[in-house]
Amino acid sequence: MKNVYQKIFPQVKLELNYWKERASKITNEELRTQALASIQDKKFHCQGGGVYSLLAGEEWKKAIRFIVAYQTISDYLDNLCDRSTSLDPTDFRMLHQSMEDALTPETGVKNYYQYREEQADEGYLTDLVRTCQDVLRDIPNYSLFQKHMIQLENLYSDLQVHKHVTHSERIPRLEKWFKEHQRQWPMLEWYEFSACTGSTLGVFCMVSYGLNNQMTIELADNVFESYFPFLQGLHIMLDYFIDQDEDEAEGDLNFCNYYQDELELEKRLLYFVEQTNKHVQTLPNKKFHEMIQHGLIGLYLADPKVRKMRQFQSTVKRLIKASGRKSQFFHWNIKVYNRLAGRY
């Protein structure tokens, strides 16, 4: 926690300030608004992702540069699609091509806005892509794990396309998409699979190991199987869990709404906790990955929104209890941090 507060968060802030300055100079009003809002409202995504830089050893600053740039692309595009002037899946697919290009240093950048009205961003999105590419070029054995990175990115981009189209098409598209993958992950429902694809943590983990020159084919396989579906699923299910009231008010899709009742939701969240704990035992730096799991539970359940979720207070207590003392520590620590930062 000392490293997180004294080294990582300040470095993340430096990187975000750079991109905030760049975003403020975007000519097109809609693109500028969404770029600035994504940094302002979702900076905690970069802070959380930045913790993975601890795995990068001496190259931790490079890891943060990549993590902030890649997560900023993700959050910016989510805003563009979520609060969009468009409902065109072709537009969403082209926007998210930027995320695949960010993981493919051998490719050039494209006009990612070609299927939408708004165009002038002063090179903001292409520079985010190039920043990611520049960091990846410094990893000598990147080819050993690039295919796993692309697979995680493709799943992520598929989700973003399917969940942002016109309302009547969303669920049929997501259900059909899951059927293509159900044989590989039969333990999941379509809405759980969708949640598992919505996290960037597996990508951050692999890049950080790669920068520390630790990545092998075996480790890449191990990270992929340990992070997908369960740790990534736990991450996004917790995100949706605390956003239920907000999403209902705004009419947004929330994957927690598809369980039969609150009891089934609690049971499946506990299942994700147990499976995550089991899978991270096989990874090197096991304690670090356990910290991520416990930190996620502590972080999300310490969010000010949770206090208003009165019907879920027993679920919150059981999740923290099932996750053990470390989650309780993070939960308390982050509550104190939030109070000091004025979030309550």
Side-chain angles (χ1 to χ4, degrees):
M1 293 306 291
K2 184 181 174 185
N3 277 328
V4 166
Y5 289 133
Q6 293 186 355
K7 283 175 56 178
I8 292 165
F9 282 4
Q11 190 64 27
V12 166
K13 187 177 180 181
L14 275 176
E15 294 287 340
L16 277 174
N17 283 345
Y18 170 79
W19 292 113
K20 187 176 179 181
E21 178 67 20
R22 287 295 313 276
S24 70
K25 293 174 181 171
I26 294 174
T27 307
N28 182 275
E29 185 181 355
E30 173 65 12
L31 298 181
R32 183 176 67 253
T33 298
Q34 299 305 344
L36 287 170
S38 73
I39 292 172
Q40 180 64 36
D41 300 340
K42 301 178 181 180
K43 64 183 177 184
F44 72 94
H45 290 167
C46 291
Q47 290 173 327
V51 175
Y52 280 92
S53 64
L54 291 170
L55 295 176
E58 292 180 2
E59 301 288 2
W60 66 277
K61 286 187 179 179
K62 276 188 188 173
I64 288 176
R65 190 177 309 136
F66 173 88
I67 288 163
V68 170
Y70 192 77
Q71 188 61 49
T72 298
I73 298 174
S74 168
D75 292 336
Y76 173 49
L77 298 188
D78 191 48
N79 271 30
L80 280 186
C81 296
D82 222 12
R83 312 281 175 247
S84 189
T85 56
S86 160
L87 288 168
D88 179 8
T90 308
D91 171 39
F92 299 157
R93 182 70 65 191
M94 191 64 207
L95 285 171
H96 283 87
Q97 181 63 41
S98 63
M99 295 189 75
E100 182 171 329
D101 290 352
L103 303 181
T104 318
E106 61 273 17
T107 196
V109 294
K110 303 171 182 68
N111 176 16
Y112 304 111
Y113 303 111
Q114 71 180 81
Y115 297 108
R116 61 172 39 223
E117 255 181 64
E118 301 86 10
Q119 295 282 324
D121 79 346
E122 319 315 306
Y124 178 71
L125 183 51
T126 53
D127 283 354
L128 283 162
V129 171
R130 287 192 183 102
T131 299
C132 295
Q133 291 178 335
D134 288 346
V135 173
L136 296 179
R137 280 192 197 98
D138 286 344
I139 302 176
N141 59 356
Y142 180 52
S143 60
L144 295 182
F145 60 98
Q146 184 177 18
K147 70 169 186 176
H148 286 307
M149 299 260 286
I150 298 292
Q151 186 177 358
L152 287 172
E153 184 282 323
N154 285 343
L155 289 167
Y156 177 89
S157 293
D158 285 347
L159 169 70
Q160 296 304 314
V161 172
H162 295 320
K163 82 169 189 172
H164 285 118
V165 295
T166 186
H167 280 255
S168 61
E169 290 181 22
R170 288 177 185 180
I171 307 307
R173 287 180 73 122
L174 289 165
E175 288 177 329
K176 183 183 175 187
W177 175 49
F178 174 54
K179 282 177 185 172
E180 297 167 14
H181 299 280
Q182 192 169 9
R183 185 177 292 179
Q184 194 169 355
W185 293 290
M187 74 293 285
L188 303 175
E189 300 294 337
W190 71 264
Y191 39 92
E192 293 172 335
F193 172 77
S194 297
C196 297
T197 65
S199 174
T200 47
L201 296 187
V203 168
F204 298 157
C205 183
M206 289 190 212
V207 169
S208 297
Y209 272 132
L211 284 165
N212 205 7
N213 204 26
Q214 284 185 275
M215 192 57 85
T216 61
I217 292 170
E218 293 74 25
L219 179 55
D221 290 343
N222 198 354
V223 169
F224 183 89
E225 288 163 16
S226 298
Y227 270 68
F228 194 90
F230 292 112
L231 196 148
Q232 290 203 167
L234 177 63
H235 172 207
I236 301 301
M237 289 303 292
L238 286 167
D239 198 36
Y240 279 108
F241 177 72
I242 70 167
D243 280 348
Q244 287 177 88
D245 292 344
E246 194 177 294
D247 288 344
E248 186 180 2
E250 294 183 8
D252 289 340
L253 189 68
N254 188 303
F255 295 127
C256 288
N257 293 345
Y258 296 94
Y259 291 103
Q260 288 178 15
D261 51 34
E262 291 164 18
L263 195 64
E264 189 191 15
L265 169 57
E266 180 183 309
K267 184 180 169 186
R268 291 301 284 175
L269 284 170
L270 286 167
Y271 171 72
F272 272 84
V273 169
E274 289 158 10
Q275 290 298 315
T276 299
N277 187 53
K278 177 182 166 185
H279 281 80
V280 300
Q281 302 307 311
T282 66
L283 288 167
N285 313 101
K286 181 181 77 168
K287 296 287 185 191
F288 172 85
H289 300 285
E290 287 177 340
M291 180 194 76
I292 293 290
Q293 176 193 349
H294 297 139
L296 283 171
I297 292 161
L299 172 71
Y300 278 102
L301 299 184
D303 192 284
K305 296 174 196 172
V306 175
R307 285 197 305 171
K308 299 172 187 172
M309 299 168 64
R310 289 190 182 136
Q311 74 273 35
F312 287 111
Q313 290 309 309
S314 59
T315 299
V316 169
K317 286 175 185 172
R318 274 192 276 272
L319 282 169
I320 294 170
K321 187 178 179 184
S323 304
R325 285 185 182 176
K326 287 181 185 173
S327 283
Q328 291 168 25
F329 165 76
F330 281 112
H331 187 248
W332 171 82
N333 199 286
I334 292 159
K335 271 193 166 182
V336 171
Y337 183 76
N338 284 339
R339 283 197 185 97
L340 292 173
R343 289 187 72 201
Y344 278 92

